[in-house]
Amino acid sequence: MNDVVRFAYHRPHLESSLVRGEEKVKELMRGTAQNVPAGKTLIRAGTDHEFVYRLVSGWACRTRGIADGRDQIILVFLPGELFAVKSMFVSCHFDDVKVLADSVVERANCRNLHEAFDTDTDVANRCMWQVVEEERRLHGWVFGLGQGSAEERLALLLIDFRGRLALSGAIARNAMSYAMPLTQTQLADHVGITPVHVNRILRSFRENGMVTVRDGEVIIGNLSGLARCAHPLLDAYERTTPEYVGPQADRDD
Amino acid sequence: MNDVVRFAYHRPHLESSLVRGEEKVKELMRGTAQNVPAGKTLIRAGTDHEFVYRLVSGWACRTRGIADGRDQIILVFLPGELFAVKSMFVSCHFDDVKVLADSVVERANCRNLHEAFDTDTDVANRCMWQVVEEERRLHGWVFGLGQGSAEERLALLLIDFRGRLALSGAIARNAMSYAMPLTQTQLADHVGITPVHVNRILRSFRENGMVTVRDGEVIIGNLSGLARCAHPLLDAYERTTPEYVGPQADRDD
DNA sequence: CGTTTGGTTGATGTATGTCAATATTAGTGG
DNA sequence: CCACTAATATTGACATACATCAACCAAACG
């Protein structure tokens, strides 16, 4: 994986510190890797929690559900990301963190990590970066939920997953398919629409030859078409990062 | 202002560091206060930016607009908050930051602040706290946009503003009215619906005796009713913080 | 005073939700 | 290996929350 790409849009002078921080966090977590089966809830809303995690492989998410049955997948985590960094700062989580596919996670006790945060600039920068980057994604998602149509949101999501997987090195830069474990119901909970409607939109995508989403796999038939569909919701970052839209995408900014 | 309340749900051992960090950041910004008129764009999307700000008084927001006219107010900043903390870490902003009402802001050069971040644990903690807290609010807002009805979102917003103003000390804990400079169009851009629809919902709130929003002022007539309307979207934090729902709110968790 | 901006309201359209039925598959226990 | 159940996906008929379009009013303002 190319860390220069990975930490995209960081200030250049942070580069080396972020890379060192990454290694130091990994070091702190050494030997704690554990398998977690799909569906397992790692953190339960309303509880204190002692650990900060790193997703080694698999998929996880932050999700909030309420009594009347509504559920929202707030954020999806992909390999290489830290999550529950907040554990170091708040004594209570307000959302569940669940694993979406069989995964491997490592973790560090939040006191130990916070000690490192306090004494080591590289660790502080790496942690801060994670939160800043996550916030950037949330900004984009708030924009999408507030302004996008159901179709645009789904197209954005499928493009976003591809781009992030490519950045993390999990798939090739120009890959036109990738494994994606979310069920249609989970996609619905993430994009804020009904499972029935997700199904209809995915059908239309399929019939267009745009993308096929089936059996935990996304197969992109027409990347530039998909990008054009998501285009209004793509932020500057995504529009200019080749991983996101692919080389043959039309330029129409 | 009671800092113990202000930094709500922080880990207790951080308390003193956060308070010191706050003072140190203010110190770094000493003498930079400037008046900014309503409507002014402080940071323009797509540009590098040198400063991190503190909102001394007034209202500001992060907002993203696209060519076809859609606009989303992603996050609203209230007095006492730091914003554009990301400037320290990324070389490009993807959203505008605009001032919503005549405001006073102070600022620090992001290099100076980052130097302090690197060398002083208190400053690092204070900056991290700002981003973590902002992320918490974004989580709630993603949930609201994804799952809430237009009515619920508006009720949530009005309650949230009140709670945050009370936390910051700008209004009394049990205040039943507060100044709120957003126009109906801006409210619409924040909650992700049409100005026309905002108008209709505010009318129904007014006719219910729930809230009156007029001339830049919010007057709450029936706080527990409003809280009941927003209730499905209120997170644990908001439900349990008296500032948010007021003493007479019904308990129905 | 004209112009602009924000607010208000009605008539009508549509994207998306709701309800309900069926197919498919995987798992589970006998 | 066979029932049985529980997810998940699929599709159609129908309902509705919200958007769109259009008109008008009031206040602010140069």
Side-chain angles (χ1 to χ4, degrees):
Chain A
M1 188 193 68
N2 181 347
D3 282 318
V4 177
V5 169
R6 162 114 196 247
F7 299 118
Y9 279 84
H10 58 291
R11 293 205 174 273
H13 74 279
L14 287 172
E15 175 73 30
S16 55
S17 178
L18 288 170
V19 173
R20 284 195 306 270
E22 175 90 354
E23 287 313 311
K24 288 173 180 172
V25 169
K26 279 189 202 168
E27 184 56 36
L28 259 170
M29 294 181 171
R30 177 179 301 284
T32 65
Q34 55 178 308
N35 291 301
V36 186
K40 166 121 190 186
T41 299
L42 271 177
I43 301 178
R44 207 164 287 280
T47 64
D48 191 354
H49 197 79
E50 296 269 281
F51 300 98
V52 174
Y53 295 85
R54 205 177 85 92
L55 186 59
V56 178
S57 67
W59 292 57
C61 70
R62 168 175 296 269
T63 178
R64 185 183 298 181
I66 57 179
D68 65 12
R70 284 182 270 184
D71 253 298
Q72 175 75 25
I73 292 181
I74 295 173
L75 212 48
V76 172
F77 303 113
L78 295 183
E81 298 183 39
L82 303 180
F83 60 91
V85 175
K86 264 186 288 302
S87 293
M88 288 191 289
F89 289 82
V90 300
S91 55
C92 180
H93 284 259
F94 295 124
D95 316 290
D96 292 340
V97 173
K98 283 183 189 156
V99 160
L100 292 164
D102 294 341
S103 301
V104 177
V105 304
E106 343 178 280
R107 66 189 197 183
N109 183 285
C110 63
R111 281 189 188 256
N112 299 339
L113 188 58
H114 194 272
E115 224 177 282
F117 176 95
D118 273 349
T119 55
D120 189 325
T121 288
D122 296 333
V123 172
N125 277 324
R126 176 62 184 90
C127 290
M128 189 76 172
W129 175 262
Q130 182 66 41
V131 184
V132 164
E133 170 64 12
E134 223 164 83
E135 212 194 312
R136 193 183 67 74
R137 293 217 314 273
L138 283 165
H139 292 160
W141 202 233
V142 164
F143 180 79
L145 289 172
Q147 304 296 323
S149 69
E151 224 181 34
E152 289 168 337
R153 294 183 216 172
L154 266 173
L156 175 64
L157 192 66
L158 296 176
I159 287 192
D160 179 65
F161 283 159
R162 171 173 177 273
R164 286 167 61 199
L165 288 168
L167 272 184
S168 79
I171 61 173
R173 293 258 169 134
N174 54 358
M176 284 302 155
S177 68
Y178 58 91
M180 197 282 299
L182 303 220
T183 65
Q184 291 187 359
T185 303
Q186 288 167 331
L187 288 172
D189 285 343
H190 194 25
V191 300
I193 63 180
T194 288
V196 176
H197 200 53
V198 167
N199 185 288
R200 283 194 254 264
I201 291 176
L202 289 184
R203 164 153 69 133
S204 85
F205 281 172
R206 194 186 325 129
E207 288 172 355
N208 284 342
M210 212 117 94
V211 231
T212 302
V213 181
R214 196 174 43 196
D215 295 329
E217 195 179 15
V218 175
I219 302 164
I220 299 177
N222 176 358
L223 181 59
S224 65
L226 195 61
R228 207 173 310 114
C229 178
H231 181 269
L233 305 189
L234 287 171
D235 69 20
Y237 175 59
E238 292 158 330
R239 277 200 296 270
T240 55
T241 306
E243 283 76 16
Y244 277 82
V245 292
Q248 76 276 49
D250 302 340
R251 319 236 132 257
D252 54 338
D253 300 75
Chain B
M1 187 193 68
N2 182 347
D3 282 319
V4 178
V5 169
R6 162 114 197 246
F7 299 116
Y9 279 84
H10 59 291
R11 292 205 174 272
H13 74 280
L14 288 172
E15 177 73 30
S16 56
S17 178
L18 288 170
V19 172
R20 285 195 306 270
E22 175 90 353
E23 288 313 311
K24 288 173 180 173
V25 170
K26 279 190 202 168
E27 185 55 37
L28 259 170
M29 294 182 171
R30 177 181 300 283
T32 65
Q34 56 178 309
N35 291 300
V36 185
K40 165 122 190 186
T41 299
L42 273 179
I43 302 178
R44 207 165 286 280
T47 65
D48 193 352
H49 197 79
E50 296 268 282
F51 300 100
V52 174
Y53 295 85
R54 205 178 86 92
L55 187 60
V56 178
S57 67
W59 292 57
C61 71
R62 166 175 298 267
T63 177
R64 185 182 297 180
I66 57 178
D68 64 13
R70 284 181 271 183
D71 253 297
Q72 174 75 26
I73 292 181
I74 295 172
L75 213 48
V76 171
F77 303 113
L78 295 183
E81 297 183 40
L82 304 180
F83 60 90
V85 175
K86 263 186 290 301
S87 294
M88 289 192 287
F89 289 83
V90 300
S91 55
C92 181
H93 283 260
F94 294 124
D95 316 290
D96 291 342
V97 174
K98 283 183 188 157
V99 160
L100 292 165
D102 294 342
S103 301
V104 177
V105 304
E106 342 178 281
R107 66 188 196 183
N109 183 285
C110 64
R111 281 189 189 256
N112 299 339
L113 187 57
H114 194 272
E115 226 177 280
F117 176 95
D118 273 349
T119 54
D120 189 324
T121 288
D122 296 333
V123 173
N125 277 325
R126 176 64 185 88
C127 291
M128 189 75 173
W129 175 262
Q130 183 65 40
V131 184
V132 164
E133 170 64 12
E134 223 166 84
E135 212 194 313
R136 193 183 67 75
R137 294 217 312 275
L138 283 165
H139 293 160
W141 202 234
V142 164
F143 180 79
L145 289 172
Q147 304 297 323
S149 69
E151 223 181 37
E152 289 168 336
R153 294 183 215 172
L154 267 174
L156 175 64
L157 192 66
L158 296 176
I159 286 192
D160 180 66
F161 283 160
R162 171 175 177 271
R164 286 167 61 199
L165 288 168
L167 272 184
S168 79
I171 62 171
R173 294 258 170 133
N174 55 356
M176 284 302 155
S177 67
Y178 58 90
M180 197 284 298
L182 303 221
T183 66
Q184 291 186 1
T185 304
Q186 289 167 332
L187 287 173
D189 285 345
H190 193 26
V191 300
I193 63 181
T194 288
V196 177
H197 201 55
V198 167
N199 185 288
R200 283 194 249 266
I201 290 174
L202 289 184
R203 165 155 67 134
S204 85
F205 281 172
R206 193 186 326 127
E207 289 173 354
N208 283 342
M210 213 121 89
V211 229
T212 302
V213 180
R214 195 173 45 195
D215 296 328
E217 195 180 16
V218 175
I219 302 165
I220 299 177
N222 176 358
L223 180 60
S224 65
L226 195 60
R228 208 172 309 114
C229 179
H231 181 269
L233 305 188
L234 288 171
D235 69 20
Y237 174 60
E238 292 159 328
R239 276 200 297 269
T240 54
T241 305
E243 284 75 16
Y244 277 81
V245 290
Q248 76 276 48
D250 300 341
R251 319 236 131 258
D252 54 338
D253 302 73

